[in-house]
Amino acid sequence: MRPAPCATLLALLVLALGYPSEAHAQKPQNPWLVHVAGGVYFPTGDYATTTNPGFGLETDIGYQLAPRWLVMATFNMGWLKGEVGPDWTNYGYFLKGAYDVGDPGSKLRILIPLGAGGVTFSPDSDSLESTSKFALNSGLMFQYYVSPKFAISFNG
């Protein structure tokens, strides 16, 4: 998948499902959420010494089970520039549960997700094959709601 089709797909998902709102954090009127992010993609493990950071995209489609609990399906992709080898495109796909530790009704929402899935490493080289591995995923998601339907997000 190239960036243009991905961006189109993400935009259609956002239009179809809508954005989460501040009222959503207090009382779920629409339990669905769509999260779209772009930013710096950092290499880890063996790739940390052979590639440079690149650009990454992520989308989460979530459903709020209870006021503080969500289940999310996540897809992300990142492009790493090879320093001493080929360029890489990495794909991640996870199913996560997340707990919202933020204050209900607050403009700041803090999610702690934990999930499992897979990661595919795809080299831009004919001499190497793509590999896929099982992976666990956790971290923090900080969302600050600028308006009831738009949030600035930081994923760590």
Side-chain angles (χ1 to χ4, degrees):
M1 237 188 221
R2 296 288 179 235
C6 290
T8 303
L9 177 62
L10 297 177
L12 290 173
L13 288 171
V14 169
L15 290 173
L17 299 176
Y19 289 101
S21 68
E22 190 172 317
H24 177 78
Q26 295 172 359
K27 182 178 178 185
Q29 295 174 1
N30 177 4
W32 291 96
L33 81 89
V34 175
H35 173 249
V36 180
V40 179
Y41 191 86
F42 291 98
T44 59
D46 294 339
Y47 299 97
T49 58
T50 61
T51 60
N52 292 315
F55 180 71
L57 294 173
E58 177 177 299
T59 185
D60 299 298
I61 299 172
Y63 185 81
Q64 191 156 2
L65 299 171
R68 292 197 177 266
W69 287 98
L70 293 97
V71 64
M72 299 185 299
T74 299
F75 176 76
N76 61 53
M77 58 193 314
W79 296 270
L80 299 172
K81 183 75 173 158
E83 192 172 303
V84 295
D87 294 347
W88 292 83
T89 302
N90 297 344
Y91 306 93
Y93 25 90
F94 299 93
L95 184 59
K96 302 177 188 180
Y99 183 74
D100 186 351
V101 298
D103 293 327
S106 171
K107 287 189 168 204
L108 179 64
R109 188 173 190 180
I110 304 168
L111 301 174
I112 302 173
L114 177 62
V119 179
T120 299
F121 304 93
S122 180
D124 186 17
S125 169
D126 293 334
S127 63
L128 298 171
E129 292 186 20
S130 294
T131 60
S132 295
K133 297 181 180 185
F134 173 78
L136 296 174
N137 184 265
S138 66
L140 288 174
M141 296 173 70
F142 297 95
Q143 299 173 336
Y144 181 78
Y145 284 86
V146 179
S147 73
K149 293 191 178 192
F150 181 76
I152 297 171
S153 180
F154 173 79
N155 297 352

